[in-house]
Amino acid sequence: MRKLLTLLFAGSFVLLQAQQKQLHFRSTTWTVEQQANLSLPSSSMDPADGHYYGLIVFAEIPDGVRQREYDAQGVELSGYLPNNAFYARISDQGMSYLQMQNDIWALLPVPNAVKSSYRIQNTSWHEECLLPDGRIRAHVHLYGGADMIQLLQQHQEIELLSNESGADAYAVGVHPSDINALLAHPSVLFLEEFDQKGTPENFKSRAMSRLNKVQSTTGLNYDGSGSVVGHGDD
C-alpha cells in the first residue's frame, strides 16, 4: 500500500511538472502553467501602433522556419527568455493566428517589475549615469519593430541622447520620477542604467612577474614589454 501511494505521489508530481514551465528573468523566476485560452489585457497594446506586446511561451523552441511563419502572420519575435519563451510584438492578425496554433504554452503580459535592472529598481545607479539637470542616463530596449519616435511623442519628458547601443536600444535621459511611466509603455522591453565603458590599461610590470628574475640573472634586460603577465577587472 505504501509503495502504491509513493508511486501515485511520484506520478502526480511528474504530471504537475509537465504542466508547468520555468521562466528565468534577470531578477526572478516565474512558474507558468499551460493556458487554455490565449489573450493579453488592453494595457499590453500600444494604441499608437495598434500592436500588442507580451511574452509567448512555446511548448518547444520554434525553429527558424517556424519563426518566419509567425513573422509573416504578424507575430514578431524578439529576445529569447529561458525556457522556451520569446518577447513578441503582435498585430490583430497575429493575435487571431495565435489562437489557432497548438505549439504555444502561454501568452503573458510583462509587468514593470521585470522590465528594469537591479540598479534601476533600487535607484542605486552610478555617478556616471547622472546628468546635470537631475535626470539619469539610461538605455531603453524596445521590442523588435517598435518605433522609438512614437515612444518619444507619447513621453515628451524623455530625451533621446543616442542610438549607440544597437538597432532597438537607445540612450535616453529620464528623470527618476518618470521611470515607472516609461516602464509601463507596452513597447518598452527593458530599461537599464548607463554603464560607462572601462578604459583598458596596459602597464609594464616586472615586480609581479618572473621576468625580473630573468632580467637580473641573464642580463638580457627583459622589462615585460609585449608580455601579458596578469589581468585585472575591477
Side-chain angles (χ1 to χ4, degrees):
M1 184 66 179
R2 180 178 298 177
K3 182 180 293 187
L4 177 60
L5 290 175
T6 301
L7 290 174
L8 288 174
F9 177 78
S12 299
F13 179 76
V14 171
L15 180 61
L16 179 63
Q17 290 293 98
Q19 294 174 343
Q20 296 178 337
K21 288 189 181 296
Q22 299 288 324
L23 299 185
H24 302 285
F25 296 89
R26 294 191 186 187
S27 58
T28 187
T29 298
W30 286 359
T31 298
V32 179
E33 296 186 355
Q34 188 171 11
Q35 294 177 344
N37 299 306
L38 303 176
S39 64
L40 285 173
S42 58
S43 59
S44 295
M45 187 185 76
D46 181 2
D49 69 2
H51 284 74
Y52 288 89
Y53 294 85
L55 195 61
I56 300 178
V57 185
F58 291 92
E60 299 292 341
I61 299 177
D63 60 20
V65 173
R66 189 74 176 108
Q67 291 184 37
R68 288 190 289 273
E69 290 176 357
Y70 274 107
D71 186 71
Q73 295 295 330
V75 181
E76 302 175 61
L77 303 181
S78 298
Y80 173 75
L81 182 73
N83 292 319
N84 298 4
F86 285 84
Y87 294 95
R89 178 175 182 259
I90 311 167
S91 66
D92 285 336
Q93 174 187 340
M95 286 294 293
S96 299
Y97 180 74
L98 291 178
Q99 306 294 331
M100 300 182 292
Q101 307 312 303
N102 56 14
D103 59 345
I104 297 178
W105 185 270
L107 179 61
L108 307 168
V110 183
N112 293 4
V114 297
K115 294 173 69 172
S116 62
S117 67
Y118 174 85
R119 290 187 179 276
I120 292 290
Q121 293 174 14
N122 294 276
T123 63
S124 58
W125 34 77
H126 300 291
E127 291 184 2
E128 293 86 352
C129 298
L130 299 177
L131 297 173
D133 59 2
R135 295 176 302 165
I136 66 166
R137 181 173 180 171
H139 285 148
V140 57
H141 301 259
L142 303 184
Y143 285 73
D147 190 341
M148 185 61 182
I149 301 302
Q150 289 184 348
L151 177 66
L152 293 172
Q153 290 174 347
Q154 297 176 62
H155 294 272
Q156 298 183 8
E157 70 278 6
I158 299 170
E159 179 186 1
L160 177 64
L161 301 178
S162 71
N163 183 208
E164 62 186 25
S165 299
D168 297 315
Y170 302 82
V172 298
V174 56
H175 196 278
S177 62
D178 296 322
I179 286 178
N180 286 336
L182 177 60
L183 291 176
H185 195 279
S187 69
V188 172
L189 192 154
F190 196 75
L191 183 71
E192 58 186 343
E193 73 284 355
F194 171 75
D195 189 10
Q196 187 177 32
K197 295 180 174 61
T199 302
E201 298 175 345
N202 186 18
F203 299 120
K204 294 179 182 179
S205 174
R206 288 184 293 175
M208 296 182 66
S209 74
R210 296 181 181 179
L211 290 175
N212 57 328
K213 182 176 181 180
V214 175
Q215 177 193 27
S216 61
T217 59
T218 65
L220 295 177
N221 199 31
Y222 291 144
D223 65 357
S225 298
S227 301
V228 178
V229 296
H231 175 75
D233 184 3
D234 57 0

